[in-house]
Amino acid sequence: MYFFEWGCWKMQLEPEEARKDDHKLEKKLGIKRDLPFESEDDEEQVAARACVSQTPKARGPVYVFNDTVLEIRSGMFEAKRGLISILSCALIIFITTTTATATVHLARSINELLNKKIIPDIGLLLVLLLYFTIAAVFSWFYLKYGFRFTRLEMFTSRHLLIRFNRKTQQVYLHRPSYCGGIVTLPWKGVTSSGASEKTAIAGGIGVPLFLYWSPRVTGTLHPESAWVGKAGNNQAELRDEWEFIRRFMDEGPQGLPRPRITSHFPWPWQAFTPQFEGLTHYFRRASRTTKVGLLLICPAFLIIGLGHWLSLLLCWKPRWPKLIRQAGLPGKPIPPLTTLADRPPHIQERLRANAHLWAIRPGKRPEKKLRARPKKTESKSN
């Protein structure tokens, strides 16, 4: 499910008029936008170069692993896809069935009129007109407002991917165009939620490993980010995964445990097992009552799993551009880093207009001045 990436991309392109309500809400709640400083960004980048685990491990799913390339599934909530697919298919089936039923009866009435000279019943014609009207109205609303959400799970790339190329020292993100598209980023300058406790997110429970490139690194006036692999059960798992990626890029694959390679073919278990990613922590510590409750809602996991599999079946295998596929091979060119000029003109305009929202402040964050406590006046005794 690409809802998170789609929302982030839309937010980066959001016009100022659409942000007025957000500004009013922030003022009402007393929320102040706090932009990071260069020194803080530098510290996080330095932390990302340090060793954080002695047990590096790729939790996967890993699609490619060799001397040059490491490719892992990416995306926040990508493993939880399924519900949108079920709702979309139900609506598509309803529209198709309604249209087909009305068309069959209309064709039969026309055939009887031409061959047997039987005049169709007025009531039947009104019912058919109602069927066509309902199908047309639902189709219009779906194509105008609903299809954009369907494409977050169906009729699109089967997975979001992140590819690490050790020889070119680049990272490639594979996303649909409506989620930011395919971009080429430098390895140097990345920060990670697995690199330190300061950058950790929610203790690593229920979220994948998070990678981030600040606007200072991307050169596109906006930050780039990626959620890598499976959701974690604790911060230690994310540290192990980050250390695996760091060692691969900085030192090479020698000495790293070879990960299990996952196929892009949509096998059924690839749809059902992700439903439990990041939940082992809760299963182990859950009370007996909670475990019984989880057993009772197993049919819901089954339904979502079926929707997930349906989504995989109705998507296609993601394919990298030839330049990226050949990157790192002898005699092949190194892909250029993505810049603002690579975007369409209207996208460039929106990114320039919103650049101040993600800008990095120069220098170091000033120290907070301690407020002097007022001296207590001694009460005079009478």
Side-chain angles (χ1 to χ4, degrees), residues 343-357:
R343 302 291 188 184
H346 67 285
I347 299 294
Q348 294 183 32
E349 181 183 355
R350 295 304 322 139
L351 292 176
R352 288 194 184 97
N354 292 335
H356 65 283
L357 299 173

Side-chain angles (χ1 to χ4, degrees), residues 18-297:
R19 296 183 182 274
K20 289 182 178 179
D21 293 337
D22 297 337
H23 296 329
K24 291 179 180 179
L25 182 62
E26 290 176 358
K27 290 182 179 180
K28 186 176 181 180
L29 298 178
I31 300 175
K32 186 178 179 181
R33 189 180 296 273
D34 188 18
L35 296 175
F37 285 78
E38 288 181 349
S39 60
E40 296 170 339
D41 190 40
D42 291 337
E43 290 174 3
E44 293 177 0
Q45 292 183 30
V46 170
R49 303 275 73 81
C51 176
V52 294
S53 172
Q54 299 302 321
T55 55
K57 180 182 179 181
R59 300 170 57 245
V62 177
Y63 299 106
V64 180
F65 179 75
N66 53 43
D67 188 59
T68 303
V69 171
L70 169 64
E71 184 176 290
I72 311 177
R73 191 192 75 193
S74 181
M76 183 67 163
F77 306 132
E78 197 273 347
K80 304 304 180 183
R81 65 202 295 177
L83 182 60
I84 292 179
S85 299
I86 294 173
L87 297 176
S88 299
C89 286
L91 185 57
I92 292 173
I93 291 173
F94 171 76
I95 294 173
T96 304
T97 303
T98 303
T99 305
T101 301
T103 303
V104 169
H105 283 83
L106 181 62
R108 186 178 300 170
S109 299
I110 294 174
N111 182 62
E112 290 178 351
L113 177 63
L114 296 177
N115 297 330
K116 300 179 181 180
K117 307 300 181 183
I118 300 177
I119 299 176
D121 183 28
I122 298 298
L124 176 61
L125 294 178
L126 292 176
V127 171
L128 296 181
L129 179 61
L130 178 62
Y131 270 50
F132 279 120
T133 303
I134 292 175
V137 170
F138 272 81
S139 299
W140 184 83
F141 273 98
Y142 173 65
L143 293 175
K144 186 172 180 62
Y145 301 106
F147 186 68
R148 69 185 69 176
F149 296 102
T150 297
R151 292 200 67 196
L152 300 177
E153 291 190 1
M154 297 163 54
F155 314 126
T156 185
S157 298
R158 188 167 294 145
H159 298 291
L160 299 179
L161 300 177
I162 182 169
R163 171 175 286 212
F164 302 90
N165 192 307
R166 187 176 66 85
K167 293 186 177 180
T168 63
Q169 287 294 288
Q170 292 177 332
V171 182
Y172 313 105
L173 303 183
H174 193 293
R175 303 169 301 193
S177 58
Y178 49 85
C179 293
I182 298 175
V183 297
T184 301
L185 300 166
W187 166 248
K188 185 179 180 180
V190 64
T191 61
S192 167
S193 64
S196 66
E197 293 298 331
K198 184 179 179 180
T199 56
I201 300 175
I205 300 175
V207 295
L209 177 68
F210 179 66
L211 304 187
Y212 180 82
W213 290 262
S214 70
R216 297 170 64 201
V217 178
T218 62
T220 56
L221 301 182
H222 71 92
E224 290 283 2
S225 61
W227 300 86
V228 183
K230 298 179 180 179
N233 292 289
N234 50 61
Q235 186 64 20
E237 288 186 348
L238 301 189
R239 284 197 298 266
D240 291 344
E241 187 158 31
W242 168 243
E243 182 63 18
F244 186 95
I245 296 172
R246 189 199 66 80
R247 290 193 190 183
F248 175 84
M249 292 296 287
D250 292 344
E251 304 171 14
Q254 298 79 13
L256 292 175
R258 182 169 181 82
R260 179 178 177 273
I261 304 301
T262 303
S263 170
H264 277 285
F265 187 82
W267 297 106
W269 53 82
Q270 293 181 1
F272 290 94
T273 54
Q275 309 303 318
F276 304 97
E277 289 180 7
L279 296 179
T280 308
H281 172 83
Y282 296 104
F283 290 157
R284 291 175 179 174
R285 300 187 179 186
S287 63
R288 183 174 299 178
T289 304
T290 303
K291 291 179 180 178
V292 173
L294 292 173
L295 290 175
L296 294 177
I297 64 173

